[in-house]
Amino acid sequence: MKLESLLQGFTYTCERGSLEADIPEVVYDSRKVSAGCLFICIKGMNFDSHDHAAEIAAAGAGVLVTEREVELPENTNVTVIRVEDTRYAMAFISAAWFGNPAKRLKVIGITGTKGKTTTTYLVKSILENAGHRVGLIGTVEIIIGDTHIHAGNTTPESYLLQSYFKQMADAGCDTVVMEVSSQGLKLHRTQGFLFDYGIFTNLEPDHIGAGEHADFEEYMACKGLLFKQCLVGIVNGDDVHCDTVTAGHTCSLEKFGLNEGNDLRAKDLRLVKKPGELGVVFQTEGLFTMEAEVATPGRFSVYNALTAMAICRHFGVSEENIKKALLAAKVKGRIEMVKVSEEFTLLIDYAHNAMSLESLLKSLREYEPHRLVCLFGCGGNRSKLRRYEMGEVSGRLADFTIITSDNPRFEEPGDIIADIKIGIEKTDGKYVEIPDRKEAIAYAIDHGKPGDIVVLAGKGHEDYQEIKGVKYPMDERDLIADILKERSNA
């Protein structure tokens, strides 16, 4: 492919060399330089390939794309393309390199603090029930047909993203639904194409700090970039930040929610409560009218369902298919119910910070359990504040807390538990500490009482435990199965 054909959609200057160069490969990792490749210099947190331009050229790169001056020997036979932002340019270069595959797909992008993962799976389930072939890109995994790929980032680097789009289109997918993180938007990973549908679920302070966002205002602004990169915006009109996030939007807007004034509205919510099963039945009005049920608890489950319904309306999905898919859709580690008893309910959820844990426990409180039992730990080499806050939330909202280990990383589990106890001891909450997670889960199951709701929080979809730099296999579903087998053989 000729260099000039890759430089479409952004402004650039050719500082040396020729635009007629033939490009055999596009590369942005200095460890993967190949002969004649187009290499994009990226500034990361710990490494800036601009500083190594001479080495990259010497390794065989034919073209360098840079956003600042680089030092090269005078006799180096390399073309240099200067751009304002190399990450922005990389998105367009990658799209062109893979043949602009997004044009062969309907692309749905979902952003927000909570609900992204669940909503992507709901949308996939509904559309596939209606006969579509749907690819998925998210926090947990990338799904292309029967292939499941472990996800590194919620929103992959633009080159990887375009590669996945091409694989999906080549595999016969007609649609892709993906999570769009604020970091992905900030770092231009989603440039180079237009989303057909941009979705906003909700917003709360998160991802603020070194290496993420400077403050909540920047976080909001980055979320809002999606609505300048899509054709149709579908947004939670109940969220207090909705107008700020969508300010300056270039798309048409539809709103959903539980309050008056939304284009699609849920009303008459009724809780469904059985041993091992929690859900909500509700009516919709506005853009369409129907009764629906979700097999997961809480008002946030209704918001997730409304989001999916609002999207799938644009695909002409029938009421029957929507109903069927909402009941059948399961998301690993997101309010995932695991049957262990006819008398009480146990569920697994990824809630791993105070905000998500509080939302979860408050929602479960509405089901008036005999006891609400919360089992959780906190990650090592992370903020102590998170530990204090999660301890305080569980102590305040759960009837009983089982403090255990999560991913201790390079810290001692006992030290992390001690920090959690600082938070929980600010409350009157009762607790026990059991560092070994399997033993803690066994304790929760053995001591479950009729009408209890037991939450295993923090691990969710993760199938490992990280200790001293090593990830050991550990899936809570497997631990539960082992415990039940041991009890039946006893």
Side-chain angles (χ1 to χ4, degrees), residues 338-480:
V338 180
K339 190 67 173 288
V340 298
S341 170
E342 295 293 339
E343 296 189 326
F344 63 88
T345 300
L346 182 144
L347 59 90
I348 296 171
D349 193 82
Y350 188 50
H352 60 291
N353 57 36
M355 177 178 62
S356 56
L357 186 63
E358 180 159 2
S359 175
L360 175 64
L361 295 180
K362 281 183 174 179
S363 293
L364 295 176
R365 270 276 168 225
E366 294 180 7
Y367 287 81
E368 299 179 346
H370 172 65
R371 291 187 311 161
L372 180 54
V373 179
C374 180
L375 179 153
F376 79 98
C378 289
N381 304 107
R382 298 293 187 268
S383 169
K384 286 178 175 282
L385 182 61
R386 174 176 290 189
R387 304 169 191 177
Y388 307 151
E389 290 174 342
M390 288 186 71
E392 190 168 350
V393 165
S394 188
R396 177 164 45 86
L397 295 176
D399 296 296
F400 188 71
T401 299
I402 303 170
I403 308 174
T404 187
S405 184
D406 194 290
N407 292 321
R409 298 186 176 90
F410 290 94
E411 287 193 70
E412 291 300 322
D415 294 338
I416 299 171
I417 289 172
D419 289 335
I420 294 171
K421 286 165 61 178
I422 290 173
I424 202 169
E425 286 172 357
K426 292 181 180 178
T427 74
D428 296 326
K430 298 176 182 178
Y431 69 89
V432 64
E433 53 184 287
I434 305 174
D436 183 278
R437 199 166 185 106
K438 182 179 179 180
E439 290 181 13
I441 294 171
Y443 180 92
I445 292 173
D446 291 343
H447 291 79
K449 299 179 180 179
D452 282 357
I453 297 177
V454 180
V455 183
L456 312 185
K459 295 297 290 178
H461 60 276
E462 292 181 352
D463 57 4
Y464 64 87
Q465 187 172 43
E466 187 177 346
I467 303 170
K468 304 296 184 186
V470 178
K471 288 185 177 180
Y472 296 92
M474 192 194 76
D475 188 314
E476 289 187 316
R477 296 145 205 83
D478 295 336
L479 296 183
I480 291 167

Side-chain angles (χ1 to χ4, degrees), residues 104-108 123 127 132-136 168 172-177 315:
R104 298 159 59 192
L105 301 159
K106 288 289 186 183
V107 185
I108 304 164
V123 171
L127 291 180
H132 291 272
R133 298 192 67 180
V134 185
L136 182 146
M168 289 173 181
C173 293
D174 55 70
T175 304
V176 55
V177 57
F315 289 78

